[in-house]
Amino acid sequence: MTALSSHAFDSPRRATSRTAIDALDLGPDLAQAAEAARLAALARYDVEHTAADGAFDRIARLAARWFDAPYASVSIIDADLVRFTATYGDGLPAHTERHDALCTMAMTHDGPFVASDTLANPATAGSAFVRGDLGIRFYAGAPIVTADGFRLGTVNVYDVVPRTVSDDRADILMELADIAMDEFELRLSAATTVRAERELRTRAEADSAIIGDYAAVLQRTLLPPSLPTIEGLTLASHYHASSPLQVGGDFYDVFALGKDRWAFFLGDVQGHGAGAAAVTSLVRYTLRAAALHHDDPTEGLAELNRLLLMDTSHQRFCTVLFGVITPDPRGGFRVTLATGGHPPALLLDPARGEVHEIRSSTGMFVGALPNATFSACSFRLQEGQTLLLYTDGITEARPDGRTMFGEDGLAQFTQARLGLSTTKMVEDLVALIPDLSPIDDIALLALGA
């Protein structure tokens, strides 16, 4: 028997699961209007003319790797055809008739659609992918959903033998669909910005405010809208852009893994601008998916390293601190922190009046070398202590134009404020930034027990 499964998810996109396509159940007139609205969303994102620059190829390769499948694809579904904007594996067509495509099942499904045996499933048994030369016997797909609930296409994996997948693996497919949607959002934002720049180029002073708004909107898509509430832990963060007219490559995030486990990371992608923004988006969602897939954060960094090396279009590396935090039975929290070439975190200990550097002994840049190695260290974040993560924009700032503020300067600044709360410590660092005259972006993330 085939396994046809669906799951409920808590991401903003997945919560908007009843889209225009679902109106098909409500009569032909409403169904026609709903499909017209979905096609209008396709036109808005211009996904039918998306350039093949490798971003979606990476998603297809990553899907195939994590599912150990011979075929994977990213599909766009229009009125009559399904176009595969990216494929992995020889033999997948560039397009197919919509009525004959397996991915139409996933597009109308809440959560991932899984057919463990396509021949045994009446919904998939008649497809040419199943009956034809490919002989597909397993299919899984997840819808690519816009923020306002329209489904543009799917991320798909296929195999020639029947198989089953766990719910956790299905979660990863949904994460990859979110990454694909972020790529479309980035392209839409970039296209809008370019159009605005061309139209307003002759009015440079007026343009600066408008372009700054676009950059700020795009920058916000690369950072979490808010930090989660974690019992017993105080979180504080700040992002300082070196230029209001340019998107930076610094990033951070904190998110739940379930069962009293949380993941967090902070890092810096090489360079600035739209190219760095595209890589930053991919890094964030890859690390999020890796945290669900790997218990060890060093394995997540290794997965990210392989993915960045596949990116022949951007060829950017990044530095990252990637950690997992759980409550400690003795009080406070147990932290495992993996290093990918990033400056050390600082452990602020008011009880001892000390500031310590926290970083594993090894950890190379991520995305620079195919044989890069990563390691992690574990420690207890005790009550009253704060773990401060930062990017090098603050330490490489030169307040007098000559001498860097440096890691020693940051340690001395925090040492003098050990009695402050985690939130107040970050507020004082934010107030310090203008005096440092930084020329690079700065990201701060603090976790206080």
Side-chain angles (χ1 to χ4, degrees):
M1 294 294 291
T2 185
L4 182 60
S5 60
S6 63
H7 312 272
F9 298 93
D10 59 1
S11 89
R13 287 195 191 116
R14 297 168 194 167
T16 316
S17 61
R18 301 301 293 175
T19 63
I21 197 70
D22 296 301
L24 290 169
D25 297 333
L26 302 179
D29 292 338
L30 185 55
Q32 185 176 6
E35 178 64 356
R38 191 189 71 84
L39 294 175
L42 279 173
R44 181 174 79 235
Y45 285 91
D46 197 26
V47 296
E48 297 180 15
H49 304 98
T50 297
D53 64 356
F56 296 101
D57 289 332
R58 292 194 302 271
I59 295 172
R61 285 196 299 265
L62 192 57
R65 176 189 296 274
W66 276 344
F67 279 78
D68 194 23
Y71 302 101
S73 67
V74 178
S75 67
I76 301 303
I77 302 174
D78 66 14
D80 300 309
L81 290 177
V82 173
R83 277 188 287 272
F84 297 100
T85 190
T87 59
Y88 176 89
D90 295 332
L92 290 177
H95 58 80
T96 188
E97 295 291 331
R98 178 171 169 174
H99 66 80
D100 202 35
L102 292 170
C103 56
T104 56
M105 297 293 101
M107 186 179 74
T108 59
H109 203 64
D110 286 335
F113 173 91
V114 179
S116 297
D117 187 343
T118 55
L119 278 178
N121 188 331
T124 57
S127 170
F129 282 68
V130 178
R131 298 292 183 180
D133 293 338
L134 285 172
I136 298 301
R137 293 294 304 276
F138 165 84
Y139 168 76
I144 300 171
V145 187
T146 68
D148 50 354
F150 291 104
R151 313 220 175 164
L152 308 183
T154 55
V155 175
N156 318 281
V157 290
Y158 319 81
D159 206 341
V160 294
V161 294
R163 53 188 287 191
T164 59
V165 294
S166 66
D167 288 353
D168 288 343
R169 193 62 59 89
D171 287 356
I172 294 172
L173 197 61
M174 291 296 293
E175 292 286 347
L176 293 174
D178 283 353
I179 294 173
M181 190 63 241
D182 278 344
E183 287 291 336
F184 289 131
E185 293 285 4
L186 281 170
R187 291 157 196 263
L188 179 61
S189 296
T192 304
T193 302
V194 168
R195 284 195 298 269
E197 289 177 342
R198 288 174 179 171
E199 293 169 0
L200 304 174
R201 187 171 297 170
T202 57
R203 298 182 303 178
E205 291 186 0
D207 285 355
S208 62
I210 296 174
I211 297 170
D213 287 343
Y214 283 122
V217 169
L218 183 55
Q219 189 72 66
R220 283 196 295 271
T221 68
L222 305 177
L223 299 171
S226 62
L227 297 177
T229 299
I230 302 176
E231 184 177 355
L233 196 68
T234 299
L235 301 176
S237 63
H238 179 71
Y239 184 88
H240 170 82
S242 60
S243 169
L245 305 180
Q246 193 172 50
V247 183
D250 290 13
F251 59 90
Y252 62 84
D253 206 350
V254 183
F255 52 96
L257 298 175
K259 299 180 181 179
D260 285 335
R261 297 176 68 244
W262 293 269
F264 63 93
F265 54 76
L266 177 141
D268 184 1
V269 170
Q270 175 195 17
H272 299 84
V279 176
T280 300
S281 176
L282 186 63
V283 168
R284 286 188 66 241
Y285 281 94
T286 299
L287 289 178
R288 272 182 163 265
L292 295 171
H293 188 58
H294 301 292
D295 292 334
D296 185 348
T298 62
E299 295 180 5
L301 292 183
E303 188 66 53
L304 176 60
N305 189 68
R306 287 191 291 271
L307 182 62
L308 290 180
L309 288 172
M310 293 178 187
D311 182 4
T312 58
S313 58
H314 291 108
Q315 294 184 328
R316 294 176 188 265
F317 63 83
C318 67
T319 65
V320 185
L321 289 177
F322 185 23
V324 175
I325 186 166
T326 58
D328 191 294
R330 298 168 294 173
F333 293 83
R334 171 61 51 181
V335 181
T336 300
L337 188 64
T339 299
H342 199 78
L346 294 180
L347 182 63
L348 283 51
D349 188 352
R352 297 184 179 180
E354 298 174 345
V355 175
H356 301 288
E357 289 188 349
I358 298 290
R359 182 173 58 182
S360 56
S361 58
T362 60
M364 301 179 180
F365 289 163
V366 185
L369 296 171
N371 59 347
T373 58
F374 309 102
S375 63
C377 61
S378 294
F379 60 95
R380 179 186 171 204
L381 184 66
Q382 301 181 44
E383 295 178 8
Q385 294 180 339
T386 293
L387 183 68
L388 176 64
L389 287 69
Y390 58 91
T391 54
D392 59 11
I394 191 168
T395 54
E396 294 183 358
R398 301 174 185 269
D400 61 0
R402 297 185 302 276
T403 306
M404 288 197 303
F405 183 56
E407 295 175 6
D408 289 342
L410 180 60
Q412 293 171 10
F413 184 87
T414 54
Q415 174 91 38
R417 291 162 175 77
L418 283 178
L420 300 180
S421 68
T422 299
T423 301
K424 187 62 170 64
M425 176 70 71
V426 172
E427 288 176 352
D428 278 13
L429 285 168
V430 172
L432 170 69
I433 289 174
D435 296 334
L436 297 178
S437 302
I439 59 173
D440 200 358
D441 307 314
I442 296 174
L444 303 171
L445 176 63
L447 304 87

